[in-house]
Amino acid sequence: AQSVSQHNHHVILSEAASLELGCNYSYGGTVNLFWYVQYPGQHLQLLLKYFSGDPLVKGIKGFEAEFIKSKFSFNLRKPSVQWSDTAEYFCAVYVPSWGKLQFGAGTQVVVTP
Amino acid sequence: NAGVTQTPKFQVLKTGQSMTLQCAQDMNHNSMYWYRQDPGMGLRLIYYSASEGTTDKGEVPNGYNVSRLNKREFSLRLESAAPSQTSVYFCASRRSQEEQYFGPGTRLTVT
């Protein structure tokens, strides 16, 4: 069965700390990969996406993600988080044969001042 | 562009009542989706419509029906609401090969 796994359900860190959120998927062919963010009380917004090309993708607000095909991973990183990065983060995978987006369970990130 | 809009924003229903959640997009997208979001479970796809005139079941379709009224509108109906359908519902739309755009959500409580 197709699946998307996010390694951590909750992460708590201090401002200026570095953040890395893991995402793995189970499909061996061509994929489109996404990270979405949901700020408290808001809807999902796109942080970044990977379709092809350079496996290191830069998104909004200083986030980046690296696609490692051999590890079926698309981990999200930010070198120095801010309190405003407190949110839930979702990894998502689109496979053309699936015809729809598969989401991970989400990681709740809390940044303390 | 309003993007993806949803109505209502909040709703409280009694068990057994019915209601329809409305979704519209003004981006001329072919595909539209309905998700529910529950704590610790991410977003789960209820139904989707790859194009006007077609609908398909997603991961959790039981207890729901949908109508793709035209290219812009995709509604979700609960015929007989149950407490297990208490959730936040998101509509989304997508043009092929691009990301999905989400609506603001409907917070539904079934008592």
Side-chain angles (χ1 to χ4, degrees):
Chain A
Q2 311 101 349
S3 71
V4 181
S5 299
Q6 291 185 235
H7 305 162
N8 308 95
H9 292 296
H10 290 94
V11 172
I12 301 174
L13 57 166
S14 302
E15 274 190 313
S18 64
L19 172 70
E20 179 158 1
L21 303 182
C23 174
N24 286 90
Y25 60 93
S26 61
Y27 183 75
T30 300
V31 293
N32 295 338
L33 299 160
F34 305 86
W35 275 99
Y36 283 86
V37 61
Q38 186 178 29
Y39 297 105
Q42 296 190 25
H43 62 284
L44 276 78
Q45 303 168 47
L46 183 72
L47 263 183
L48 46 78
K49 61 186 177 186
Y50 172 80
F51 284 3
S52 63
D54 188 345
L56 186 61
V57 180
K58 293 197 185 301
I60 60 171
K61 305 189 180 190
F63 285 90
E64 64 179 31
E66 185 175 13
F67 170 51
I68 303 179
K69 190 173 182 179
S70 60
K71 295 186 178 180
F72 302 95
S73 70
F74 189 54
N75 293 353
L76 181 72
R77 297 194 291 254
K78 184 169 184 178
S80 177
V81 294
Q82 300 172 313
W83 176 80
S84 58
D85 293 322
T86 292
E88 191 157 17
Y89 294 81
F90 293 93
C91 179
V93 177
Y94 180 81
V95 176
S97 60
W98 296 356
K100 47 192 181 291
L101 212 53
Q102 184 84 27
F103 282 88
T107 298
Q108 182 67 50
V109 173
V110 175
V111 181
T112 60
Chain B
N1 272 359
V4 180
T5 56
Q6 291 182 234
T7 55
K9 285 191 166 54
F10 300 94
Q11 183 71 49
V12 179
L13 292 178
K14 291 188 186 330
T15 298
Q17 287 185 314
S18 62
M19 79 160 294
T20 299
L21 281 64
Q22 306 287 354
C23 174
Q25 52 92 10
D26 62 1
M27 296 175 282
N28 202 36
H29 288 171
N30 289 323
S31 303
M32 297 185 74
Y33 306 82
W34 275 106
Y35 294 89
R36 59 177 290 172
Q37 183 180 26
D38 303 289
M41 304 191 76
L43 276 82
R44 292 182 293 169
L45 183 65
I46 306 171
Y47 270 93
Y48 67 105
S49 170
S51 61
E52 186 179 354
T54 69
T55 60
D56 286 287
K57 293 179 181 178
E59 191 182 347
V60 288
N62 291 347
Y64 305 95
N65 284 302
V66 289
S67 295
R68 182 75 183 266
L69 304 166
N70 47 54
K71 194 169 187 179
R72 288 188 66 246
E73 298 170 291
F74 188 39
S75 62
L76 178 73
R77 182 159 178 84
L78 286 71
E79 289 292 350
S80 178
S84 60
Q85 293 178 305
T86 292
S87 187
V88 182
Y89 292 84
F90 287 99
C91 178
S93 71
R94 187 179 71 93
R95 191 162 43 216
S96 60
Q97 292 299 104
E98 293 187 5
E99 68 270 23
Q100 286 184 215
Y101 294 80
F102 286 83
T106 295
R107 188 172 294 274
L108 175 67
T109 302
V110 183
T111 61

